[in-house]
Amino acid sequence: MEITREDLKHLADLSNFSLPEEEMDSLQNDLDGIVKYISELSELNTDGVEPTYQVFEMDNVWRDDEIKAQDANREELLDLTVEEKENQIKVPKVL
Amino acid sequence: MKIANKNVTATMLVNDALKKAEFFKDYNIFTSLYKDAALKKAAEIDEKIKNGEPVGRLAGVPFAAKDNFLVKDTITTASAHILEPFKAPITSTVVEQLGKEGAIMIGKVNLDAFAHGSSTENSYFGPTLNAFDKTRVAGGSSGGSAVAVALDVVEFATGSDTGGSIRQPASFNGVYGLKPTYGATSRYGVVSMASSLDVNGFFTKTPEDMDLLMSICAHRDEKDLTTLPDFYEETSAKPVKTVGVVKDFDNDAVDPEIRAALKAKCEELKKKGIDIIELDMPTLKYALAVYYIIQPAEVASNLSRYDGIRYGFRSENSTNLDDLYGNTRNEGFMKENKRRIMIGNFVLSSGFYDAYFLKAAKARTLLIEEYKKAFEKCDVILAPVSPNPAFKLGEKVNDPVAMYMEDIMSVSINLAGIPGLAIPAGKTESGLPIGLQVLGPRRSDKTIIKFAEEIK
């Protein structure tokens, strides 16, 4: 598996990075090296093995649908944004 | 650790810590200091002591928090440009637990941005220097925490460990560093990296201090439903009769002085009547590849929240929303953040998911089984933490695969969810600390801490 320039652009797109051209060479080289390394895993036989996605040996934890702790209020959260107008977060035009 | 009383006041302890923080400024340990708030809290504690009112188990003890722990109304950076400026609206449970016992946070300490790294060189604020040699790295990602404790600026520090981020810097700076059992400590209010691997722990100068901190912090937290029901205080340490050493870690890739330190420790243990057995763990050599698939996949998902909209840095040069996302994320993330997010999106993307992500999830099952089998034969495992002592600044920072190799012996326990405690194990001929790690089955945190106490 080799990471091509096309792959890199696709991955930048999936990652939402506006990558400048001058960063692409080194990132392509880095990702290519990393993918080569992780590809070594293909040697390991995993036939018939169930995957593990988490190591928390408990089942789903249910709780009542009620708010017990709300550490931050609306104003405090809105304070964190760069631009706010009438209790809404302001962003540049969408289209 | 020194706890405030009528003779040693909290104000004295805090002033002393602040003075040392200033004295060691050139090590680049702190991202921020909270002098006024710390002195105010110290005065309150001293007043309580004077009046004979009860104070907590950590009364007046100065500590530092890794700068990915949120503390209400203070700046949390995660040493990342993209969070600048972020004034935390909440306090992390761990910091709250420590505060309730009277511990005093004097400041926040440096890390690799978003805890991505093994040297603290990926910090937006520059690297932290090793406590024993300023030309070498502190280790990472919790480099600031390790050096703050090693230079005796504070009595203890918090850290987070996703693949070795507590144990490796602890071993590079000659202090104790605990990565608890997955789920033992709360992660509420700590910046997420890879959610199936992240655990919060501590750096201390003694195993006894580690025991105290775990008694205080290893509790179920209603605000983090991935915390385990309380077990730490309820369990008693199991006597260690058999120690396993992993044959697959004893090879030329590991520095001869580290291998010698492990052998010397084993000889000491034998003299105490402890049996040493060799373990065959053939899947371990794949653990690093498994980790560098699963961890970036979870990173890509967790870090998608940094979009410049709700909080943190927002790029100024965007005329529409799409550009705003792309520019903010491009300008705000460090190079290593970008590598991990892109690799994560690669292993999760259609066409590659089965060969990488699913394959790694299956290999993870094999690793867990391998550890389970190992702990049927021994009580704890003793292993090196990293293949080498602290390396030179700049040596590996531009070679991601070489940097990842640093984690080769530390990542498997995060994948398995088991605890590991880095312990000091002497020094190299050139005076650099060597660390070893004691590993145990899930919920054996107390056993490994008490064992470290016994073999000091």
Side-chain angles (χ1 to χ4, degrees):
Chain A
M1 178 72 210
E2 196 183 326
I3 298 290
T4 63
R5 185 55 66 110
E6 279 310 296
D7 294 330
L8 184 81
K9 286 181 174 166
H10 177 58
L11 291 173
D13 204 33
L14 288 176
S15 308
N16 237 327
F17 297 148
S18 309
L19 280 188
E21 202 61 36
E22 63 267 22
E23 251 188 80
M24 289 198 185
D25 280 338
S26 71
L27 266 174
Q28 186 181 342
N29 183 46
D30 292 348
L31 295 196
D32 193 53
I34 297 166
V35 168
K36 280 206 171 69
Y37 177 73
I38 58 177
S39 298
E40 286 177 15
L41 186 60
S42 64
E43 296 167 17
L44 181 70
N45 183 359
T46 54
D47 291 349
V49 179
E50 285 296 315
T52 298
Y53 299 110
Q54 52 99 0
V55 288
F56 192 68
E57 63 278 87
M58 296 178 79
D59 292 327
N60 190 25
V61 182
W62 296 99
R63 63 159 174 77
D64 292 333
D65 191 17
E66 55 188 47
I67 298 164
K68 279 193 182 157
Q70 198 176 17
D71 292 354
N73 62 37
R74 181 191 173 93
E75 287 69 36
E76 284 172 314
L77 294 176
L78 277 170
D79 269 355
L80 298 173
T81 190
V82 174
E83 232 185 321
E84 181 201 339
K85 197 179 169 188
E86 292 162 12
N87 278 331
Q88 311 270 326
I89 293 171
K90 201 177 159 199
V91 294
K93 64 176 193 255
V94 177
L95 291 170
Chain B
M1 56 189 136
K2 261 191 221 150
I3 294 165
N5 55 39
K6 277 188 176 152
N7 304 319
V8 187
T9 66
T11 307
M12 279 159 68
L13 293 174
V14 168
N15 268 324
D16 188 40
L18 290 168
K19 222 179 280 169
K20 282 189 259 183
E22 180 60 33
F23 182 78
F24 292 117
K25 216 172 174 180
D26 53 337
Y27 284 84
N28 197 26
I29 301 169
F30 287 88
T31 49
S32 51
L33 278 171
Y34 299 114
K35 194 178 166 190
D36 295 343
L39 285 169
K40 188 170 163 251
K41 188 165 179 197
E44 284 166 18
I45 287 173
D46 287 334
E47 188 63 26
K48 278 189 186 170
I49 293 173
K50 217 171 81 189
N51 298 336
E53 288 169 47
V55 285
R57 286 176 279 179
L58 297 171
V61 177
F63 78 100
K66 187 176 180 177
D67 202 7
N68 55 355
F69 284 70
L70 274 60
V71 180
K72 195 175 168 89
D73 294 334
T74 67
I75 300 294
T76 295
T77 67
S79 291
H81 181 36
I82 203 164
L83 260 178
E84 258 191 337
F86 178 70
K87 201 166 143 196
I90 59 165
T91 296
S92 52
T93 297
V94 168
V95 168
E96 203 170 272
Q97 287 166 324
L98 298 168
K100 272 189 188 149
E101 292 289 343
I104 300 175
M105 189 183 79
I106 65 154
K108 306 289 273 309
V109 283
N110 201 14
L111 62 148
D112 288 292
F114 288 112
H116 298 176
S118 313
S119 67
T120 319
E121 289 167 291
N122 294 328
S123 165
Y124 183 62
F125 307 112
T128 297
L129 310 184
N130 188 281
F132 288 77
D133 179 346
K134 283 198 216 175
T135 67
R136 291 176 186 272
V137 301
S141 65
S142 318
S145 308
V147 177
V149 175
L151 290 177
D152 200 26
V153 176
V154 287
E155 290 288 337
F156 71 91
T158 71
S160 59
D161 190 315
T162 305
S165 280
I166 289 176
R167 289 160 288 147
Q168 185 250 28
S171 73
F172 278 12
N173 294 283
V175 295
Y176 289 85
L178 177 71
K179 176 250 177 244
T181 296
Y182 180 80
T185 49
S186 173
R187 300 185 292 184
Y188 177 76
V190 180
V191 178
S192 299
M193 177 179 161
S195 301
S196 83
L197 305 161
D198 293 345
V199 184
N200 297 320
F202 306 99
F203 293 81
T204 63
K205 291 168 217 167
T206 67
E208 290 84 349
D209 289 352
M210 198 66 84
D211 178 44
L212 176 59
L213 294 174
M214 281 297 279
S215 299
I216 291 166
C217 295
H219 293 289
R220 178 149 174 83
D221 180 12
E222 288 225 325
K223 294 175 189 170
D224 174 2
L225 292 180
T226 61
T227 44
L228 294 166
D230 286 8
F231 68 92
Y232 187 81
E233 286 190 289
E234 285 82 346
T235 51
S236 48
K238 189 178 166 191
V240 173
K241 293 181 185 126
T242 312
V243 171
V245 284
V246 183
K247 231 197 262 174
D248 312 76
F249 284 159
D250 193 24
N251 57 52
D252 292 343
V254 183
D255 185 281
E257 286 187 286
I258 293 178
R259 291 166 74 187
L262 177 60
K263 284 205 175 77
K265 202 49 138 181
C266 288
E267 287 308 314
E268 266 177 47
L269 296 179
K270 278 186 201 161
K271 279 182 200 146
K272 292 186 174 196
I274 293 170
D275 286 333
I276 307 289
I277 61 159
E278 280 198 328
L279 299 166
D280 270 317
M281 300 180 73
T283 314
L284 275 188
K285 72 170 172 185
Y286 297 103
L288 192 70
V290 173
Y291 177 79
Y292 275 99
I293 292 170
I294 291 175
Q295 172 262 107
E298 295 184 10
V299 161
S301 169
N302 269 329
L303 272 62
S304 63
R305 72 188 68 176
Y306 302 104
D307 56 8
I309 306 293
R310 289 152 299 156
Y311 47 81
F313 166 78
R314 183 187 286 192
S315 170
E316 282 174 4
N317 316 311
S318 311
T319 50
N320 66 56
L321 190 61
D322 270 346
D323 281 356
L324 178 93
Y325 292 139
N327 291 335
T328 296
R329 289 170 63 80
N330 183 61
E331 292 163 34
F333 283 124
M334 306 286 288
K335 200 169 182 192
E336 180 60 18
N337 305 139
K338 290 184 194 172
R339 290 182 192 121
R340 293 190 187 203
I341 292 168
M342 290 171 91
I343 287 291
N345 282 321
F346 169 76
V347 299
L348 290 170
S349 58
S350 71
F352 301 107
Y353 180 89
D354 285 3
Y356 290 92
F357 189 73
L358 184 61
K359 178 94 184 169
K362 288 178 178 176
R364 188 174 188 177
T365 306
L366 295 178
L367 280 167
I368 292 168
E369 284 168 6
E370 209 161 87
Y371 270 114
K372 266 190 194 150
K373 270 187 210 145
F375 290 123
E376 283 165 13
K377 294 181 205 140
C378 62
D379 302 308
V380 299
I381 294 172
L382 192 59
V385 176
S386 61
N388 43 258
F391 49 91
K392 290 270 182 191
L393 288 157
E395 192 180 320
K396 300 182 184 193
V397 73
N398 294 317
D399 182 349
V401 176
M403 189 68 92
Y404 295 174
M405 288 296 169
E406 274 300 302
D407 307 338
I408 197 152
M409 291 180 291
S410 57
V411 296
S412 64
I413 76 159
N414 297 76
L415 291 164
I418 63 173
L421 174 63
I423 60 170
K427 291 206 180 111
T428 63
E429 224 174 318
S430 58
L432 295 173
I434 293 176
L436 297 173
Q437 52 181 344
V438 184
L439 314 175
R442 277 178 67 72
R443 295 181 176 79
S444 69
D445 307 56
K446 192 170 264 170
T447 300
I448 61 174
I449 291 170
K450 293 285 173 191
F451 180 62
E453 237 176 272
E454 278 166 35
I455 65 170
K456 252 203 291 201

